[in-house]
Amino acid sequence: ILLDGIDLKEWDYDALRARIAVVWQENMLFHETLRFNVAYGSRGAKKTEIERALKEAQVAQFVKNQEKGMHTIVGERGIHLSGGEKQRVMIARALLKNPDIVILDEATSALDSLTEREVQKGIEKLIDGKTAVIIAHRLSTIKHVDRIFVMDKGRVVAQGTHRELFENNDMYRTMVNVQLFGGELVK
């Protein structure tokens, strides 16, 4: 695997890590303040930068509504936040870091459809102009990307755009139909 034409084995691990942000399915929030959790990985970030990241992640209003604002304690693993709030805090963290590479591992899988739509706005801002690796079963989160890889039993079985795969790959088309139409075959 090459990054900027250089084999990953040749990269300095710390330099590589500094260029990557990950938004996990299982969030990595600490029993700390919202500010700490957003700025984690971007120590020394200014208040205005954190506020911008919160706004872009669609979580600024939530923070503003908290009695202690950015000093609100989220609890271990964000226990005091909803699923959507947790994901938006994680997206704000990644936005603040402004990485070259973004990895999204099922970043919206635990969200209802309405919350997912709001979180997706933050994700779109996060990945704009960046290399993004998006791991997803929920196809609504990936249909806008440049290239989709369809996996089956750990192997890549097809690749292409959403349209190409929908038109030419039975497995992908079936997955879309199940998610959108409850399994009715639509061509």
Side-chain angles (χ1 to χ4, degrees):
I1 298 174
L2 305 178
L3 177 60
D4 288 342
I6 302 169
D7 191 310
L8 284 182
K9 296 175 198 161
E10 297 177 29
W11 275 88
D12 173 72
Y13 186 70
D14 291 333
L16 181 61
R17 245 186 143 160
R19 298 181 69 181
I20 299 172
V22 182
V23 179
W24 302 100
Q25 176 179 7
E26 286 293 321
N27 67 74
M28 302 276 291
L29 296 177
F30 304 99
H31 184 69
E32 258 295 347
T33 64
L34 282 163
R35 179 186 174 99
F36 176 91
N37 277 285
V38 172
Y40 185 79
S42 300
R43 301 200 194 268
K46 295 180 174 97
K47 181 181 179 185
T48 55
E49 295 169 322
I50 294 169
E51 288 171 342
R52 185 197 84 248
L54 290 167
K55 183 177 181 184
E56 290 175 353
Q58 307 293 314
V59 74
Q61 190 60 48
F62 164 77
V63 173
K64 192 179 279 187
N65 291 341
Q66 299 305 301
E67 187 177 319
K68 294 184 179 180
M70 281 198 283
H71 300 289
T72 300
I73 301 290
V74 302
E76 191 65 36
R77 297 184 65 199
I79 192 75
H80 302 303
L81 306 177
S82 72
E85 291 158 356
K86 291 176 194 178
Q87 289 307 109
R88 286 179 268 195
V89 169
M90 294 293 295
I91 292 165
R93 179 188 294 169
L95 283 160
L96 182 62
K97 187 173 183 179
N98 193 25
D100 297 319
I101 301 164
V102 179
I103 301 172
L104 302 170
D105 181 16
E106 295 283 1
T108 62
S109 66
L111 307 178
D112 62 79
S113 298
L114 295 175
T115 304
E116 178 190 8
R117 187 171 52 197
E118 288 302 308
V119 169
Q120 195 64 35
K121 292 175 188 175
I123 288 174
E124 288 170 11
K125 181 72 176 168
L126 172 62
I127 66 174
D128 186 39
K130 301 196 175 8
T131 298
V133 176
I134 304 171
I135 303 152
H137 288 92
R138 198 181 282 187
L139 302 176
S140 60
T141 62
I142 60 167
K143 70 181 190 179
H144 65 284
V145 302
D146 298 327
R147 186 179 299 165
I148 299 168
F149 293 89
V150 179
M151 309 270 308
D152 186 27
K153 298 180 180 103
R155 299 181 61 101
V156 174
V157 296
Q159 65 175 303
T161 65
H162 170 73
R163 170 167 272 158
E164 291 167 346
L165 290 168
F166 189 80
E167 291 173 357
N168 302 311
N169 185 272
D170 291 336
M171 182 179 177
Y172 185 81
R173 185 172 38 257
T174 299
M175 289 188 292
V176 170
N177 285 330
V178 167
Q179 288 185 20
L180 295 179
F181 308 110
E184 288 183 38
L185 292 179
V186 176
K187 281 199 174 196

